């Protein structure tokens, strides 16, 4: 299997987890999902950092499905009124970040302990997901550079 095909599979895994959770009404306990997918997403960021070619292109490619899902979420939950929301698009937009929802809720609770609002939690979950990938990407670049210097 080609390296590019593998990378697409890695990018699809968070979406597949969210979609299966939605369809089967089966969700891994949030703390377990957060730890497992946090470590996985950090690793994926590191893998994209080690690809040959432009670092910028690899970073954008690694976040391409994230960006599409995030923009769909913003469109459906921020820009569109509730009665005009497309439920299929709204559901799909939540799949990608589902495993990061707990961290989004934790951050949200730091700022507001009175009422739970799901849209800010989802946006924060996407933000954490992006940050974890970015940290993995930078870490992968640093590791790649130090390995080259030691050779």
């Amino acid at each position: 299997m080609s390296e590019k095909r593998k990378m697409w599979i890695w990018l699809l895994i968070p979406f597949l987890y969210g979609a299966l959770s939605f369809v089967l009404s089966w969700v891994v306990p949030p703390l377990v999902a957060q730890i497992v997918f946090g470590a996985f997403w950090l690793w994926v960021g590191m893998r994209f950092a080690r690809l040959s070619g432009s670092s910028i292109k690899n970073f954008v490619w690694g976040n391409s499905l994230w960006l599409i899902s995030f923009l769909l979420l913003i469109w459906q939950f921020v820009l569109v009124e509730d009665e005009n929301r497309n439920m299929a698009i709204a559901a799909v937009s939540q799949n990608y970040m589902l495993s990061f929802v707990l961290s989004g809720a934790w951050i949200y609770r730091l700022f507001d302990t009175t009422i739970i609002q799901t849209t800010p939690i989802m946006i924060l979950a996407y933000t954490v997901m992006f940050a974890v990938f970015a940290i993995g990407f930078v870490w992968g670049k640093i590791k790649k550079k130090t390995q080259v210097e030691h050779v």
Side-chain angles (χ1 to χ4, degrees), residues 29-32 34 97-107 121 125:
L31 183 58
V32 173
Q34 181 66 67
M97 60 75 204
L98 183 63
S99 59
F100 287 86
V101 136
L102 184 61
S103 59
W106 285 341
I107 294 169
I121 290 172

Side-chain angles (χ1 to χ4, degrees), residues 26-92:
W26 172 78
V27 179
V28 173
L31 183 58
V32 173
Q34 181 66 67
I35 292 168
V36 169
F37 276 94
F40 170 72
W41 208 236
L42 186 77
W43 178 80
V44 170
M46 291 174 67
R47 295 287 303 212
F48 270 86
R50 293 176 177 215
L51 290 174
S52 62
S54 167
S55 293
I56 293 170
K57 285 182 182 178
N58 292 337
F59 186 81
V60 170
W61 174 28
N63 286 291
S64 58
L65 296 180
W66 175 92
L67 181 61
I68 292 166
S69 296
F70 181 69
L71 291 174
L72 289 173
L73 181 105
I74 295 298
W75 173 37
Q76 289 300 302
F77 289 93
V78 176
L79 301 176
V80 173
E81 297 294 326
D82 290 349
E83 62 273 1
N84 295 325
R85 188 172 293 153
N86 180 312
M87 297 312 278
I89 294 173
V92 167

